[in-house]
């Protein structure tokens, strides 16, 4: 049961980042403008896309999970602070706390690891063989 739940958790945590990364590629110019309006240099967008899309895929497959989970936890908290800090606006408050909750999930994933249905586990078995 733990194996299935860990995989389901990784799937759930990864999908929002995979979808968001693709969305930023599809709406590149608009996303750059949105970032700039929040005081974040648009030149960082390729790094954001790489972290969201690449990090999401890494979490999904269970590759480099602990490090990627820490990076996505930090990214989630930074995004909350930079883009959703207007807690007087109910929609922004919900997005702020959603990001905090995702960061909590990623910290749990960093602490527990990807589980047995992961590339990390496969690589560990090969190293120890």
């Amino acid at each position: 049961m733990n194996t299935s739940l860990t995989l389901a958790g990784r799937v759930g945590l990864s999908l929002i980042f995979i979808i968001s990364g693709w969305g930023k590629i599809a709406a590149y110019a608009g996303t750059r403008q949105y970032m700039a309006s929040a005081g974040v240099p648009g030149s960082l967008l390729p790094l954001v896309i790489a972290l969201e899309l690449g990090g999401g895929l890494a979490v999904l497959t269970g590759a480099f999970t602990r490090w990627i989970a820490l990076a996505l936890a930090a990214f989630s908290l930074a995004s909350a602070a930079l883009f959703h800090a207007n807690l007087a606006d109910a929609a922004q408050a919900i997005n702020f706390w959603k990001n905090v909750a995702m960061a909590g999930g990623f910290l749990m994933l960093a602490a527990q690891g990807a589980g047995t249905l992961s590339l990390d586990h496969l690589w560990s078995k090969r190293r120890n063989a």
Side-chain angles (χ1 to χ4, degrees):
M1 182 165 163
N2 187 36
T3 300
S4 300
L5 291 176
T6 303
L7 177 60
R10 287 196 346 255
V11 170
L13 283 169
S14 68
L15 287 178
I16 192 168
F17 289 93
I18 294 167
I19 292 166
S20 184
W22 279 119
K24 285 175 176 61
I25 292 170
Y28 196 89
T31 303
R32 268 183 76 101
Q33 289 174 342
Y34 177 67
M35 289 173 64
S37 75
V40 178
S43 60
L44 294 177
L45 183 55
L47 295 174
V48 170
I49 291 170
L51 180 59
E52 286 189 345
L53 189 55
L57 290 169
V59 168
L60 179 66
T61 60
F64 313 107
T65 306
R66 292 178 193 267
W67 291 108
I68 297 295
L70 289 172
L72 287 171
F75 178 79
S76 296
L77 293 173
S79 296
L82 291 169
F83 297 102
H84 307 299
N86 181 7
L87 300 181
D89 177 338
Q92 291 304 315
I94 289 169
N95 283 321
F96 179 91
W97 292 114
K98 169 199 58 114
N99 280 31
V100 170
M102 288 189 308
F106 281 119
L107 292 174
M108 292 292 293
L109 186 59
Q112 298 299 317
T116 56
L117 295 176
S118 68
L119 290 175
D120 288 343
H121 181 73
L122 177 66
W123 294 333
S124 176
K125 281 177 49 178
R126 287 187 179 170
R127 272 193 310 270
N128 295 331

